[in-house]
Amino acid sequence: MSKNNSTSNGSFLDKVKNLTDTSLLLTITIVIFVLMYLGAIIFQGGGFLKVQTFFNILNANAALIILSCGLSLVMIIGGIDISVGGVTALVSMSCAVYLDNMGGNVYVSMLIALAIGVAFGAFQGALVAFLDIQPFIVTLAGMFFARGMTTIVNSDPFNVANEGFNELKMTRIYTPFGSTNAKGVYVPAYVELGVVVALVIVILLFCLLRWTKLGRSFYAVGGNKESALMLGINVKKTKFIAHLMCGTLAGIGGFVYFLHVGSGSPSHATGAEMDAIASSIIGGTMLTGGVGNIIGTFFGVLSLSTIQNIVASAGLDEAWWTGITRAVMLCLFLIIQSVVMARKHKK
Amino acid sequence: MSKTNNETSFFKKLVGQQFFIPILVLLVLVVFNLIADPSFFKIAFGTNNAGNPVLSGSLITILDNGSELAILAIGMTLVTAASGGQDISVGAAVAIAGSTLLRVLCGSNSRPDELQAPIIVAFLVSVVVAMLFGAFNGVLVAYFKIQPMIATLILYTAGRSIAAWINNNELPIVPGETFTYFGGFIPGIPIPTPVFIAIACIIIIALVLKFTNLGLYTQAVGINESASKLNGLNPALIKVASFVILGVCVAVVGLIKVSRISTINYSVVAKDIEMDAILAVALGGNSLAGGKFNMAASIIGAYIIQFLTTTLYKYKVPADALPAYKAVVVIILVVISSPTVKDWFSNLTKKLKVKEVA
C-alpha cells in the first residue's frame, strides 16, 4: 500500500497515484456504475429514471448483496467460498418444507436458516483453518453437499402457502420517493424487507472491516500471512472467523432469497456463488487477498444487475446475451485489477 | 524387533505411495459391491437396438462413461501442475466444442438430410475453437496473472451462452449412422468406442510425457516459477500450453458427448464435469497447489469417480442427490490426506512405538 504523504496542493494525478489499492478499485467501481446508470438513462430513457426501477434492482438482488458480502470477507483473507449458492438452495428448501409440510412458524424458520448457515461456515472454516485444506476443495464439497441435500430434503419445487410467511413476504416499506404510473396515479416506490437486512449488513460489515481489530486482522492475514503471524495475529482463528461469517451470511442471504421468491426448489440460486464472486471482483476485492471493500461489493452487485437490466430492456432478452455481457464485464474488471497489481509492483 | 521395524517401514511406504488412497477407495468400493450385490461385476453379451453384438454390465458402463472424465483429467492434471489452479470452464467449453461440431456438420440448417462436412473436418474445427478458448484462459492466467479458477470463471459464465449462440439456440440433429459410432458402438466391435478413444488419448499423453520434456517443464513451472525462469524456461508459455492441451481434451470430449445423442443440450451437456475432473486430480493424490503430478493416478482417479457414480446409481440414488454422497467422500479424502492429520497420525504411531519399546 502506498503512503499518503502527498502535499495538499499535489496535482490530481498525484492524488490518484497515492490512493491505496482498495480506494482506487472502489473509485473505479463506483465511477463505472454511475456512468453505466447514466448511460442507461440517456439511451434507454424513461424506465431507468423511475426510482422504482432502481429499487426493483435492489429487491431482486438483496440476497446476492448479502452473499457477496460474505464472499468479500473470505476473499479478503485470501480464501474462497463456492458453497453459498448451494447453502441458499438448501435454506430455501428446508424452510419451505418446514413451513408448509410441518406447519411451522416463520420465526423458527429464520433460526433454521441461520443454523444451516452457521453449521456450513463452522465446518468449512474448521477444515480450512485448522486442517490447512485448500478452501476451494472444501467449499466445493460443501456446495456438492448442500445441493445434494436440497434434493434429498425434497426433490420437487413448490410454492409456500404458509400465512405468516406470506405476510412477511408481502411486507413493503414505502419510501418518500415515487412516480406517477400510466393512469396518472402517484405510486410511492417501495423496498422489500430483504433490502433493509442487506443494507444493515453492508453497514455493519463496513464498520467491522474499517474500525475493529478483527476487521483489520482480516486485511493483515490476506495481505501477508507471515507478517500477520509476526504481528501477533492468530491467523488460524481469523481464517476460521471469516469462513464462519461467510457461512452465516449465506444462511441469512438464503432466507432473504427465500423471502423474495417464496418457494423451495433444488434449482434455486444456481450459479449464485459465481455471481457473488463476480460481484466481489467487480467491487474491487482482490482475489489474492488483502484488498477489498464492502461498499465496493455493494456497487459490484448493482453494476452486475444493472447491466442485466440494460440488456433485457434493450430487447436482447435471449438468454445468452446475459451470460456474455456479464462475462465481458468480469473480464474487464479482472484486467483492471491485474493492471493495478502491476502498478503496485512497479513502485 | 527388527521384524516390527520392517513391518512399520513397509506400512509407511505403502501409505506414502501416491496410489495408496485411490487404490484404497477402489478396494472399498469393490468390496462393498461384492458384498451388497455380486451381479455388479457380471458382464453380459447381447445385441443392441441396431442388432450389433455388444457387451453390457456395470463394469462396461464405468469404462464407457468414465472415458470423458479420464480424457479431461489428463488436461486438468497438466493445468493444475503448471498453474497451481484449476480450470472450472471445461464443462462450458465442452458445450462450445460440441456446438461448433454440430454447426459445421449441419450447416445453417438444423435438420439436414446429409452431413454438410466430413466428420474429421468438423472435429478439427472444434479442436481449433477449443484450443483458442483454452489459449484465452491461459493468457489470462499466464500474462494477466489472474488466479486460474477466477480467470476461467469468465468462460464458465459465458460458455454455455456462446454455445447456444453458435447454433442460434437451435438444437441441430446430426443425420446418419456414422456419427453415432464415436459415442456408441462400431458395428462388429462389442466394446463401446469411447473406451478406445480414451485409451488412445492415454497412450498419446504417455508417449508425450516419455519422449518430450513437457512433464518436466510443467512440474518445474509449478514448483517454482521464478526458478524455472532463471533456468531458461518461459513459464507463461508453458502455462498457456497446458491450457491449450486441455482445450484439445475438451474437443475430444465434445465429440463423444455430442455423438452419444447426435445432438446437444446446451445447459445440460457435460454439466458439473469440471468438478469431477478436479476431483479426479485430487483423488489421484496430486497437489491442487501445483507442482509434481502423476498422470496415471489422475486417470485412475477419474475411473474411481465413475465407479462411485455408477455404484450410487445402481442403488437408486437420484442424479440430483449424487453430489451429497460425493461430497462426503471428498471430505473424508481431503481430511485423511491433509498434512495436519498426517502429522498427528505419525506422532501417534511414534508414541505407540515408544510404548512398545518400553
Side-chain angles (χ1 to χ4, degrees):
Chain A
M1 299 233 178
S2 55
K3 277 177 208 148
N4 214 342
N5 56 359
S6 68
T7 47
S8 56
N9 55 359
S11 70
F12 175 70
L13 212 65
D14 274 347
K15 273 186 188 160
V16 171
K17 265 187 194 163
N18 284 314
L19 277 176
T20 60
D21 289 340
T22 305
S23 3
L24 179 63
L25 289 172
L26 176 64
T27 317
I28 294 175
T29 309
I30 295 180
V31 166
I32 289 191
F33 170 71
V34 170
L35 284 181
M36 203 162 67
Y37 211 87
L38 284 179
I41 291 175
I42 294 168
F43 292 109
Q44 293 175 349
F48 282 91
L49 262 176
K50 281 187 193 152
V51 182
Q52 189 60 53
T53 311
F54 180 71
F55 281 173
N56 279 343
I57 294 179
L58 282 179
N59 287 340
N61 291 289
L64 186 58
I65 291 173
I66 301 174
L67 297 183
S68 306
C69 284
L71 257 154
S72 294
L73 292 181
V74 286
M75 278 161 72
I76 286 172
I77 62 145
I80 194 96
D81 187 339
I82 56 171
S83 69
V84 292
V87 173
T88 301
L90 181 58
V91 164
S92 302
M93 188 56 99
S94 309
C95 291
V97 167
Y98 171 73
L99 284 176
D100 252 27
N101 299 4
M102 303 180 192
N105 180 297
V106 65
Y107 296 101
V108 180
S109 74
M110 282 181 194
L111 288 182
I112 292 178
L114 205 61
I116 292 174
V118 170
F120 268 84
F123 188 67
Q124 292 177 161
L127 290 186
V128 170
F130 302 120
L131 293 184
D132 256 338
I133 307 172
Q134 287 183 9
F136 178 71
I137 200 83
V138 170
T139 54
L140 174 71
M143 179 181 92
F144 272 175
F145 187 73
R147 285 265 172 224
M149 277 313 282
T150 310
T151 327
I152 293 172
V153 170
N154 193 349
S155 56
D156 301 312
F158 68 98
N159 285 323
V160 177
N162 186 298
E163 267 176 35
F165 173 77
N166 280 324
E167 205 173 290
L168 201 65
K169 176 173 157 44
M170 295 315 290
T171 308
R172 290 173 171 180
I173 296 159
Y174 290 95
T175 58
F177 314 105
S179 51
T180 43
N181 66 6
K183 286 177 192 161
V185 183
Y186 179 81
V187 187
Y190 68 89
V191 289
E192 287 171 12
L193 274 182
V195 178
V196 180
V197 178
L199 289 180
V200 168
I201 286 176
V202 167
I203 293 166
L204 282 181
L205 287 180
F206 177 77
C207 297
L208 173 95
L209 284 177
R210 189 127 202 174
W211 289 300
T212 67
K213 202 179 147 198
L214 180 69
R216 301 319 292 176
S217 64
F218 278 179
Y219 286 100
V221 169
N224 190 329
K225 229 178 281 172
E226 282 73 28
S227 354
L229 203 62
M230 282 173 204
L231 282 172
I233 292 169
N234 189 337
V235 174
K236 287 187 175 176
K237 198 174 132 201
T238 313
K239 275 187 173 179
F240 175 75
I241 292 175
H243 276 276
L244 179 64
M245 287 177 75
C246 181
T248 312
L249 287 173
I252 300 173
F255 191 82
V256 169
Y257 184 93
F258 177 53
L259 198 61
H260 181 69
V261 294
S263 64
S265 158
S267 62
H268 268 348
T270 312
E273 56 279 341
M274 299 304 168
D275 282 348
I277 295 173
S279 304
S280 288
I281 293 170
I282 292 171
T285 308
M286 283 263 203
L287 294 153
T288 39
V291 179
N293 190 314
I294 290 296
I295 302 291
T297 305
F298 177 68
F299 279 101
V301 177
L302 289 186
S303 305
L304 202 67
S305 36
T306 305
I307 199 131
Q308 242 161 297
N309 270 30
I310 292 176
V311 168
S313 64
L316 300 166
D317 54 349
E318 291 96 337
W320 69 74
W321 276 109
T322 328
I324 291 174
T325 37
R326 278 155 78 186
V328 168
M329 198 157 153
L330 183 59
C331 188
L332 182 76
F333 276 90
L334 280 172
I335 289 170
I336 291 177
Q337 282 199 0
S338 169
V339 171
V340 170
M341 280 296 277
R343 177 193 85 127
K344 197 165 137 192
H345 283 298
K346 240 179 228 168
K347 272 193 185 162
Chain B
M1 191 60 229
S2 65
K3 201 187 160 204
T4 44
N5 247 347
N6 267 342
E7 265 174 11
T8 41
S9 74
F10 171 73
F11 182 70
K12 237 184 188 169
K13 242 185 187 173
L14 190 75
V15 175
Q17 283 284 320
Q18 195 168 6
F19 283 104
F20 177 68
I21 287 179
I23 296 292
L24 187 73
V25 177
L26 188 61
L27 270 180
V28 170
L29 282 172
V30 167
V31 169
F32 171 78
N33 274 311
L34 266 179
I35 295 170
D37 184 8
S39 74
F40 188 84
F41 296 96
K42 219 161 66 184
I43 295 176
F45 196 80
T47 49
N48 66 359
N49 297 338
N52 296 316
V54 291
L55 288 173
S56 62
S58 298
L59 287 182
I60 300 294
T61 315
I62 292 167
L63 281 179
D64 184 9
N65 291 334
S67 313
E68 287 106 316
L69 204 51
I71 296 169
L72 280 181
I74 294 173
M76 193 65 88
T77 309
L78 287 176
V79 166
T80 303
S83 66
Q86 288 75 38
D87 184 341
I88 58 166
S89 71
V90 285
V94 166
I96 295 177
S99 187
T100 314
L101 195 71
L102 285 178
R103 175 78 191 180
V104 178
L105 280 179
C106 300
S108 50
N109 181 0
S110 65
R111 297 283 183 279
D113 297 326
E114 54 186 18
L115 294 180
Q116 305 292 310
I119 293 172
I120 182 76
V121 173
F123 175 62
L124 287 179
V125 172
S126 79
V127 168
V128 171
V129 169
M131 280 166 81
L132 283 177
F133 277 106
F136 170 75
N137 282 336
V139 167
L140 284 181
V141 170
Y143 292 99
F144 288 96
K145 309 242 181 300
I146 301 169
Q147 282 179 11
M149 216 205 87
I150 308 299
T152 52
L153 179 64
I154 297 173
L155 196 56
Y156 175 93
T157 320
R160 291 180 192 276
S161 303
I162 296 174
W165 173 65
I166 289 174
N167 272 312
N168 281 328
N169 215 5
E170 283 165 11
L171 304 173
I173 295 176
V174 182
E177 274 277 284
T178 339
F179 187 66
T180 62
Y181 293 165
F182 297 98
F185 294 88
I186 296 172
I189 299 173
I191 297 170
T193 325
V195 177
F196 294 112
I197 300 179
I199 291 173
C201 288
I202 293 169
I203 291 174
I204 291 172
I205 194 68
L207 290 177
V208 168
L209 287 177
K210 193 162 173 59
F211 292 109
T212 70
N213 285 334
L214 179 77
L216 181 68
Y217 288 175
T218 311
Q219 299 192 17
V221 170
I223 291 168
N224 190 330
E225 196 177 327
S226 28
S228 67
K229 202 168 187 175
L230 291 176
N231 278 306
L233 294 180
N234 183 346
L237 198 67
I238 287 168
K239 280 186 190 174
V240 175
S242 71
F243 276 93
V244 171
I245 294 172
L246 179 57
V248 178
C249 299
V250 160
V252 176
V253 173
L255 173 72
I256 298 176
K257 281 278 183 204
V258 172
S259 169
R260 277 191 200 278
I261 54 172
S262 279
T263 179
I264 195 167
N265 185 335
Y266 302 111
S267 55
V268 173
V269 63
K271 192 166 177 278
D272 288 343
I273 204 170
E274 54 272 358
M275 303 306 175
D276 278 353
I278 297 168
L279 275 187
V281 176
L283 193 58
N286 295 304
S287 161
L288 288 179
K292 280 177 82 76
F293 69 86
N294 187 330
M295 189 61 81
S298 292
I299 293 168
I300 292 175
Y303 283 110
I304 291 172
I305 288 170
Q306 193 60 45
F307 204 122
L308 177 67
T309 312
T310 312
T311 308
L312 289 175
Y313 274 139
K314 194 172 155 56
Y315 291 98
K316 302 276 185 297
V317 173
D320 292 331
L322 211 57
Y325 296 89
K326 275 188 191 164
V328 174
V329 175
V330 175
I331 287 296
I332 293 172
L333 279 178
V334 289
V335 168
I336 291 175
S337 56
S338 85
T340 322
V341 175
K342 266 186 185 164
D343 285 351
W344 185 74
F345 259 114
S346 66
N347 281 340
L348 197 74
T349 45
K350 257 183 211 161
K351 268 184 199 162
L352 285 178
K353 232 175 173 180
V354 171
K355 263 186 194 166
E356 248 172 55
V357 171

